[in-house]
Amino acid sequence: MEYESVIGLEVHAQLLTKAKLFCACATVFQADPNEQTCPVCLGMPGVLPVLNRQAVEFAIRTGLAMQGQIARVSRFARKNYFYPDLPKGYQISQYEEPLIEGGGLTIDLEGTSKHIRLIRIHLEEDAGKSIHGENLADPTRSYVDLNRTGVPLLEIVSAPDLRSAQEAKTYLQKLKTILEYIEVCDGNMEEGSLRCDANVSLRPKGAQELGTRTEIKNLNSFRNVQRAIEYEIERQAEVLDGGGRVVQETRLFDANRGVTQPMRSKEEAHDYRYFPDPDLVPLCVGQEWIERVRQDLPELPETRRQRFTTHYGLPDYDAEVLTASKELADYYEATVRLYNQPSPPSSTQERDW
Ligand code: ADP
Ligand code: MG
Ligand code: ZN
């Protein structure tokens, strides 16, 4: 049987705010364990969260860059689960009323463009980090570092519009480029400031209905996103060809062995007992604020690429490569400016080159 693969990505982007989402703790990477904590992010009783305005502004900026609808009223919800790195016993996220709905972005694949729709973008706080492993002083223990607890994240959820591992990788690269251009996230996958879960399913070619999906966690590089999806597509095809059924579950990618493995059965939304967080008022975003953010939106990669072809007369491919990274594009333009400067008054020495 011939299958079509269907992929949707959930991307977590750490926002470049100085403080956490609901307290004033710093967000510096690699501080000493548990140095950047306070009663609020430690989940002590009797404390109250206060929303970081800058995080909301970054979210709005992202929503506008992706042509999403910014909700005038959105709400924070508690997502309840137990884990040692989640001191409150719940994560503050958004559920029924996210800050941004819809929108999308266009990816280019060998000269053809394809629009990938977004379902939603919402704000949430990160959890802490559990540390286990052989290189610890005592490998029988696990440790918890709560510096990351409460750091602001954007969750960007794509529609199941991607059809191959290559498309998924290209989409993720494009997303990273946009987030870098609008300066809301540094896009560093190794440091975990950009994290991706991939949802993968197969269906017979030509079918309309979606097949049963698995969700793959732990994808910490573009290459691994591609490898994990490729593996998972093959695995599911084998299961189906053998007359079996794909089990809806969460799987973990083992980068050393290049395989995905079952981690847990897929949790359902009701397992989390979501409910509106009574400690936080609804988030109301006025039209003026949205317009101000829109005015300040920097040039986006798409526009810059076009400008590179029209203004500098560069071939499409070169413009694409140069603008895929904001840093490289800035460097290119700085170089061109230098090159175009009138030469300084010539010295007494004659130049023969
Ligand atoms: P959750 O994973 O939290 O249950 P959703 O059901 O909203 O959330 O789906 C999350 C992601 O899974 C989205 O990116 C969506 O496009 C993708 N997705 C949903 N169903 C499928 C499917 N059958 N095959 C592939 N991807 C899917
Ligand atoms: Mg999911
Ligand atoms: Zn704190």
Side-chain angles (χ1 to χ4, degrees):
M1 170 103 70
E2 276 226 65
Y3 301 107
E4 176 179 52
S5 36
V6 175
I7 301 147
L9 297 188
E10 291 165 271
V11 175
H12 288 93
Q14 185 179 323
L15 293 174
L16 283 168
T17 55
K18 293 200 180 71
K20 293 187 179 179
L21 189 51
F22 298 111
C23 62
C25 287
T27 57
V28 183
F29 183 68
Q30 273 179 340
D32 284 340
N34 300 304
E35 282 294 304
Q36 294 172 166
T37 55
C38 75
V40 173
C41 54
L42 290 176
M44 296 293 175
V47 298
L48 286 172
V50 177
L51 181 59
N52 181 333
R53 189 186 175 85
Q54 183 65 57
V56 178
E57 182 149 330
F58 281 167
I60 297 172
R61 199 188 286 174
T62 308
L64 293 174
M66 317 269 182
Q67 272 106 45
Q69 285 296 317
I70 317 292
R72 300 295 295 268
V73 180
S74 65
R75 220 173 285 268
F76 289 96
R78 292 186 181 182
K79 180 179 183 178
N80 299 277
Y81 64 92
F82 285 101
Y83 208 71
D85 64 20
L86 190 73
K88 292 198 299 298
Y90 60 85
Q91 174 196 30
I92 306 178
S93 180
Q94 295 192 299
Y95 182 56
E96 280 175 333
E97 295 167 85
L99 181 54
I100 297 141
E101 284 184 284
L105 55 93
T106 303
I107 57 172
D108 291 302
L109 292 141
E110 289 151 12
T112 50
S113 349
K114 178 168 176 179
H115 187 72
I116 308 299
R117 291 166 303 158
L118 294 181
I119 298 173
R120 57 191 275 151
I121 302 177
H122 70 245
L123 268 171
E124 63 183 29
E125 56 177 356
D126 206 346
K129 206 160 68 181
S130 300
I131 303 158
H132 343 261
E134 290 123 40
N135 32 18
L136 289 175
D138 181 351
T140 64
R141 291 178 188 225
S142 287
Y143 295 79
V144 178
D145 178 3
L146 299 175
N147 282 346
R148 215 176 61 183
T149 311
V151 163
L153 300 178
L154 272 190
E155 177 167 335
I156 304 164
V157 185
S158 86
D161 285 350
L162 300 156
R163 292 289 173 271
S164 68
Q166 178 63 42
E167 281 190 21
K169 183 179 163 205
T170 307
Y171 163 84
L172 190 59
Q173 275 164 338
K174 185 64 181 278
L175 191 59
K176 174 183 142 101
T177 304
I178 296 173
L179 295 173
E180 281 172 2
Y181 266 67
I182 60 176
E183 295 175 337
V184 301
C185 174
D186 66 23
N188 191 326
M189 287 193 87
E190 293 77 53
E191 289 182 4
S193 28
L194 198 67
R195 282 171 260 162
C196 172
D197 301 335
N199 294 269
V200 180
S201 68
L202 297 186
R203 62 183 172 193
K205 272 228 163 85
Q208 288 302 307
E209 226 178 298
L210 291 174
T212 305
R213 70 174 145 140
T214 59
E215 178 172 349
I216 316 167
K217 303 258 180 203
N218 205 24
L219 305 171
N220 54 8
S221 70
F222 291 108
R223 199 169 109 75
N224 284 345
V225 168
Q226 185 168 8
R227 286 172 71 207
I229 296 173
E230 273 164 6
Y231 175 86
E232 187 59 17
I233 290 171
E234 273 194 26
R235 188 191 69 83
Q236 290 187 15
E238 271 171 36
V239 169
L240 295 172
D241 283 341
R245 287 166 65 178
V246 173
V247 180
Q248 177 159 339
E249 64 189 356
T250 302
R251 299 177 70 89
L252 211 57
F253 182 60
D254 180 337
N256 292 324
R257 298 174 44 219
V259 302
T260 66
Q261 284 174 310
M263 177 177 153
R264 56 171 187 248
S265 65
K266 171 93 179 98
E267 65 290 338
E268 308 273 350
H270 62 247
D271 294 327
Y272 290 119
R273 288 129 49 235
Y274 280 101
F275 64 90
D277 192 320
D279 286 345
L280 289 156
V281 294
L283 169 58
C284 300
V285 176
Q287 198 58 40
E288 281 157 53
W289 192 9
I290 298 174
E291 285 318 313
R292 197 157 39 72
V293 179
R294 200 194 302 276
Q295 298 294 316
D296 293 345
L297 211 58
E299 189 180 37
L300 294 171
E302 209 58 27
T303 324
R304 196 168 199 185
R305 186 173 60 83
Q306 276 160 22
R307 187 165 61 76
F308 273 30
T309 55
T310 53
H311 187 76
Y312 299 116
L314 290 172
D316 279 340
Y317 177 77
D318 298 33
E320 175 72 40
V321 171
L322 285 171
T323 56
S325 142
K326 179 172 186 291
E327 235 185 329
L328 186 59
D330 289 345
Y331 181 76
Y332 174 76
E333 293 211 277
T335 312
V336 170
R337 265 196 302 278
L338 268 181
Y339 182 76
N340 284 341
Q341 257 171 23
S343 28
S346 59
S347 61
T348 48
Q349 225 174 342
E350 200 56 54
R351 297 201 315 197
D352 59 357
W353 42 272

